[in-house]
Amino acid sequence: MNHRDDNKVLDLITDVTETVKVLWWKFFDWLAVKSWAYLLIIAPLALIAFGMIGLGGPVFLLIIVSIIVKILAGGKRRAEIAATAAATRADVEALERRLLEAEMAALQAQIEPHFLFNTLALIGQLIETNPAEASKVHQHLIKYLRSALPQMRDKGNGKLGQQMEMCRAYLNIMQARMQERLTYQIELPAELEFLPFPSMMIQTLVENSIKHGLEPKTTGGHICVTAKKMDEQLRVEVIDNGMGFNLHADDGLGLSNIRERLKVLYAGKAQLIIEAPQDGGSMVAIQIPLDLKAG
């Protein structure tokens, strides 16, 4: 091969490399900006469609790679953009609250992909063994995202009924994973459904109950989520019969985040209450004033 042919091969390799780079970064950016709702709704549909023609394995591998890329890039990037935009728009009086909500977005960016990844993996398994159950879990996931996304767009505020529906969808998904090891009950009087309540707080309490209370327990257990009025307070309780809390230990990242948000949103007039019932398990309650709205 002469010098001219060597140059042509080198030019071809360079062109291919540059093309691959451009395509990779376009794909990377696309994953970073696309919402989890969009990806998690189309992924199972693509898995089912390509599975029918024998390409389920490669597509499932592509989905896993895409989720890993999005976890590494999408959540962190969105949280940084949200924090920067919040700091730019905020005036001096609102700065503390806006930065706190940006911290909540960063925390959620770390936690949410783990749950979504596990749910997608569960759907992938069920497609092979129980397609009807896979369809049910897919519908629960859509309900979860439909409840969660409006709260994110509303800068962390939401209605109590909306958040209870999100918890119900989440618990239905966890039931599919834990089977008979998990039962739950949600009690929400109709007159409380449209009351404002800070977003993601109840969800965090339910996730903590499962992660620290019921999943480590061989027999699993029961969760009861209850909302009620107490004098001039709105109280939401999450009670489980799991492993229980160490009342002398630190709150952990999720509960600490709730305490700080309540302090800022309600100027010290709201509470996070943690108790250890005598018959075991845990009781965690959020109590906010009825005559004030978050913010």
Side-chain angles (χ1 to χ4, degrees), residues 86-123:
T88 301
R89 293 192 305 267
D91 55 32
V92 174
E93 295 179 356
L95 181 60
E96 185 178 14
R97 176 191 171 182
R98 289 182 182 275
L99 290 178
L100 189 61
E101 294 299 339
E103 290 174 6
M104 186 197 77
L107 174 65
Q108 186 177 334
Q110 297 172 19
I111 297 174
E112 184 183 70
H114 180 70
F115 164 66
L116 295 177
F117 176 80
N118 285 340
T119 303
L120 180 59
L122 174 63
I123 293 173

Side-chain angles (χ1 to χ4, degrees), residues 25-226:
W25 284 111
K26 285 184 177 181
F27 178 69
F28 193 92
D29 291 341
W30 180 82
L31 281 177
V33 300
K34 284 296 181 181
S35 69
W36 281 108
Y38 179 84
L39 296 176
L40 267 297
I41 289 173
I42 67 168
L45 298 178
L47 195 60
I48 294 172
F50 283 95
M52 293 179 178
I53 58 175
L55 296 177
V59 171
F60 188 66
L61 180 61
L62 176 62
I63 291 172
I64 291 177
V65 172
S66 299
I67 289 177
I68 292 173
V69 170
K70 187 167 180 63
I71 289 173
L72 295 176
K76 182 179 179 181
R77 180 171 176 80
R78 288 198 308 272
E80 291 173 349
I81 293 173
T84 301
T88 301
R89 293 192 305 267
D91 55 32
V92 174
E93 295 179 356
L95 181 60
E96 185 178 14
R97 176 191 171 182
R98 289 182 182 275
L99 290 178
L100 189 61
E101 294 299 339
E103 290 174 6
M104 186 197 77
L107 174 65
Q108 186 177 334
Q110 297 172 19
I111 297 174
E112 184 183 70
H114 180 70
F115 164 66
L116 295 177
F117 176 80
N118 285 340
T119 303
L120 180 59
L122 174 63
I123 293 173
Q125 295 170 7
L126 291 173
I127 287 173
E128 301 293 332
T129 60
N130 191 340
E133 185 67 15
S135 178
K136 288 181 181 179
V137 175
H138 184 214
Q139 291 302 313
H140 293 320
L141 179 60
I142 292 174
K143 289 180 181 179
Y144 172 86
L145 294 170
R146 282 177 176 168
S147 297
L149 293 177
Q151 297 179 53
M152 300 175 200
R153 297 189 186 105
D154 291 340
K155 300 179 181 179
N157 298 320
K159 302 300 181 183
L160 182 58
Q162 187 180 42
Q163 294 180 62
M164 288 293 203
E165 282 305 305
M166 181 172 66
C167 287
R168 187 186 304 277
Y170 172 81
L171 286 166
N172 284 334
I173 292 171
M174 294 308 298
Q175 270 190 329
R177 286 176 54 187
M178 297 176 65
Q179 300 295 322
E180 69 278 358
R181 293 180 60 240
L182 174 63
T183 60
Y184 76 87
Q185 180 180 359
I186 293 179
E187 299 177 1
L188 174 62
E191 65 270 18
L192 304 182
E193 288 186 10
F194 297 99
L195 292 179
F197 200 90
S199 67
M200 302 307 297
M201 289 189 181
I202 305 173
Q203 179 72 16
T204 298
L205 298 188
V206 172
E207 289 176 3
N208 273 357
S209 283
I210 291 180
K211 181 178 179 181
H212 301 294
L214 300 187
E215 280 191 328
K217 190 175 178 181
T218 304
T219 57
H222 182 78
I223 292 179
C224 182
V225 185
T226 305

Side-chain angles (χ1 to χ4, degrees), residues 212-213 240-246 280-282:
H212 301 294
D240 69 69
N241 60 352
M243 302 296 288
F245 269 111
N246 179 356
S282 65

